[in-house]
Structures are given as structure tokens and as C-alpha cells.
Amino acid sequence: MREFLRGRAVAFAVVVLLLSGVGGAATAVGSRARSVAPTFNGGVYAIAHRGPIVYVGGAFTSATSAGKTVPRSRLAAFDARSGALLSWAPEADATVRALVSAGDSIYAAGDFHRVGGKKRDSLARLSPVSNAVGSFQHDLAGTAYALHTAHGRLYLGGSFTAVGGVPRRNLAAFTLATGKLDTRWRPSADDTVHALAAGGRRIYLGGAFHKVDEVRGTLRLAAVDGVSGAVDPAFLPKAPAEVRAIAVEGASVSVATAGVGGRAISYTDRGLVRWQRVFDGDAAAITTLAGITYVGGHFDAACTTARNGAHGACSDGSEPRLKLAAVTRAGQLTPWAPSGNGVIGVRVLAVNQATGTLQAGGDFTTIDGKDRRRFAIF
């Protein structure tokens, strides 16, 4: 009888742990930011990975690691296992807004006009192991905000009207093998594209646009064919506000939106809403790991319902979530709640598959009161 009761008690404890999210049931990473990551004196806007090596871009001009501060002009790299800064330091003369790793290259996009001492207008291809700048060179008539690679192509989103003098409206693609503009892939968005993601043959687009190729139902979020560029009519969701980030996991497409109170919304691959969470400020970043969706932004609270009012204030109560939150597959908040500071908060989230860690960049300076200037690893 005693053994039976002991067994029941253990089983009860396991159930409580699973329901409360302890022991990895509801979160894939811990809530305590690791102390090994370097810090930066300006915002971190972009993160890319090549194995355990982390590449970051942003508005910073120096990085601090192991108590030593060194120049890093808007680009830097470090080992995620030790936190040690690498010598990789091509200098960009203005903000880097997007990074992506592809093969033997790191691609960067942003506001810059020179990188590594060479003229590069908003786009550059960089060696991942030295400060060498590749031959990839295209003049952009506007601003670059997003990069993604799939289907042998580098996809670009932003607010621009031409690439190398060739008309392109806020979207373009380049062939990775040659570095040339893809003349076949030419969907057109009528306003800014802030986010790109791949899922199967699709390239998902998110931003402030009203239509893609004049197709109805493509407001702020759409899917196009990764090879032909044609709008996919099977995915026509209704995004309620400007889409700032997209994460794809299997048949789920999750987005972070701005608006009067930000939202994290998960759609099916047919564009139907699976779940949504409302916050009292913009959601600016989103990613997934082991079935958990992580959200970052400018918010300080997660609303208990989907209703909010003036300035995004939650109408039916809220739970504290300072710049970071996590959501289960069923759309429930998990207990994961690191506390970030600052007005802008978190700008970018990324998962490093090689190390099984979640990484956050932005304009915060502390996580849970500890020095984590503009970058944190969980």
C-alpha cells in the first residue's frame, strides 16, 4: 500500500511538472540568459549561423567580451559555445539589417554603402572566415530589410524600386551560383516587405503591403512560388496588422505583427488561424524550437484574451511578459518569461540548431537585471 501511494505521488508530481512547463514540457530553452555572450554598444538587428559560429549585424560600433572592448563596425562574429569574439570584422559604414548564411558566404543587407573598404550599395557577400568582400555587387534604389535563401536563390525584401537599374518593387531574387539577378522571379509588392521565410516550395512574404501582384487577399502576408514567383492562391490569410517577422515549422506559419498592441499569430499552410496571442506592444520577432514559438518585441504584458484597447492596453487582464514570451502548439503562454528592458526591446530572435540555443538581439541592455547589452543566449 505504501509503495502504491508513493507511486501515485510520483505520478501526480510528474503531471504537475508537465502542466506547469517545468522540465522542458512547455519550453525548449531555459529562461536564464547565459553570461558567455558578448555585449554591444548599439542595437543588434540581424543574426545568422554557420555551425556554432554566430554572426550579428546592427548599429553597433564596438563589442565587449571577457572584459575587453574592441571595435566592431556593425558586423561581428563569435563562438556560441565559449562566447569568444572572432577576428571576423568587416566594417560596414551604416546599419546592417539582415544577415543570412549560404554555402561559403555570409550575405548582408542594410543601409550601408561600403563594407570592408569596398563600395557595396545595401548588399554584400562576405567570407565567413576572413574580412574579404565577395564580387556580389548590385545597386539598390531603396532600402533592404530582409534576406532568405532557398531553391538555390538569395531572396531580398525591402522598400525599393530597382536593383542594378532593373525595376523590382520591394522584392528580388539572385541566383546563388552566379550572383546575378534572377530575371524569372519577379513578384511585386505595393509596399514594404519586412520579412521572408521558406516552407516547401513557397516563399512567405510579410510586411506593410496591401497586395502582391495585384492579387486580392494578399494583405500584409502572402506566399509566392520560390521558382516562378507566382502568388500561391491556396494561402490567403488575413493579417490584422503589419507583419514584422515570420517563422515556419512544418505546416505552421507563425508571424509577429505590429499595430495597436502586437500579436503573435499561427496560421495553417492554408492560411487559417490556429491560435493568436495579443500583447500590449508590438511583436517584432518570432522563431520556433521543438514546437514552442518564441516571441520578442516592445511589449511588457501578454493579454489573457484577444481584446485590447487604447495604446494596446489589455482589456481583460494580462500576465507580465517583458519583451519576451513563449507559446505552446495549442496557443497557451508558457511559464518562460525572461525580463528584458528598454523601450524597443527585442528586434530579432534566432535558433542555433548546432548548439540548441535561442538567441535574441535588440536594444535591451539587461535581461533579468543582468548586463546583456543588445544580445542574449538562452
Side-chain angles (χ1 to χ4, degrees):
M1 183 67 175
R2 188 175 299 159
E3 291 299 318
F4 172 78
L5 291 174
R6 185 180 296 121
R8 291 292 296 273
V10 170
F12 176 78
V14 169
V15 170
V16 171
L17 288 173
L18 291 174
L19 291 176
S20 64
V22 177
T27 52
V29 298
S31 61
R32 181 175 298 177
R34 293 169 52 186
S35 60
V36 297
T39 60
F40 299 88
N41 73 336
V44 171
Y45 298 175
I47 302 171
H49 304 111
R50 192 168 183 258
I53 305 304
V54 182
Y55 299 84
V56 296
F60 54 84
T61 56
S62 69
T64 301
S65 178
K68 183 179 180 181
T69 298
V70 296
R72 288 293 185 272
S73 294
R74 304 170 186 91
L75 288 163
F78 63 94
D79 191 317
R81 298 163 299 190
S82 65
L85 275 171
L86 305 183
S87 59
W88 190 83
E91 296 184 355
D93 65 357
T95 302
V96 173
R97 298 189 179 277
L99 290 172
V100 68
S101 174
D104 61 352
S105 301
I106 301 295
Y107 291 88
D111 302 339
F112 52 82
H113 299 287
R114 297 187 71 84
V115 179
K118 295 189 176 183
K119 182 182 181 298
R120 291 293 184 271
D121 185 18
S122 303
L123 294 167
R125 180 169 65 89
L126 310 169
S127 165
V129 296
S130 73
N131 293 337
V133 180
S135 59
F136 179 78
Q137 185 173 359
H138 300 272
D139 292 337
L140 193 70
T143 304
Y145 287 115
L147 292 173
H148 199 80
T149 57
H151 311 297
R153 293 166 173 80
L154 173 70
Y155 298 95
L156 170 69
S159 178
F160 52 85
T161 56
V163 178
V166 179
R168 286 292 185 273
R169 199 175 183 191
N170 305 315
L171 288 162
F174 308 88
T175 303
L176 286 172
T178 65
K180 294 181 179 180
L181 183 69
D182 186 336
T183 58
R184 180 181 179 188
W185 198 87
R186 48 185 308 168
S188 172
D190 65 2
D191 205 338
T192 304
V193 175
H194 285 293
L196 299 169
R201 192 176 167 97
R202 289 173 172 173
I203 299 297
Y204 293 96
L205 324 169
F209 51 83
H210 300 86
K211 288 183 181 180
V212 177
D213 286 346
E214 299 300 321
V215 176
R216 292 171 61 92
T218 53
L219 175 67
R220 305 186 186 104
L221 181 62
V224 299
D225 188 279
V227 177
S228 71
V231 173
D232 189 333
F235 183 79
L236 297 174
K238 296 179 180 179
E242 183 175 308
V243 173
R244 305 311 299 260
I246 306 172
V248 178
E249 185 180 51
S252 298
V253 182
S254 300
V255 302
T257 78
V260 181
R263 294 171 189 254
I265 308 173
S266 178
Y267 296 94
T268 69
D269 59 4
R270 305 294 293 181
L272 303 176
V273 174
R274 296 175 61 246
W275 55 258
Q276 67 174 311
R277 300 298 315 191
V278 177
F279 301 90
D280 67 347
D282 290 357
I286 197 163
T287 193
T288 58
L289 176 62
I292 303 299
T293 298
Y294 295 90
V295 188
H298 317 330
F299 51 82
D300 294 320
C303 303
T304 54
T305 71
R307 297 197 320 128
N308 59 3
H311 308 294
C314 301
S315 300
D316 303 312
S318 64
E319 295 186 34
R321 290 295 187 275
L322 277 71
K323 321 305 180 192
L324 289 160
V327 185
T328 69
R329 283 192 176 97
Q332 300 300 310
L333 282 174
T334 79
W336 190 82
S339 176
N341 71 339
V343 176
I344 300 299
V346 174
R347 289 181 180 267
V348 58
L349 291 171
V351 169
N352 187 336
Q353 297 290 351
T355 58
T357 56
L358 172 71
Q359 297 162 356
D363 292 287
F364 55 87
T365 57
T366 65
I367 299 290
D368 293 328
K370 298 186 182 299
D371 181 12
R372 300 288 183 268
R373 280 168 289 163
R374 288 97 188 183
F375 190 86
I377 297 178
F378 300 94

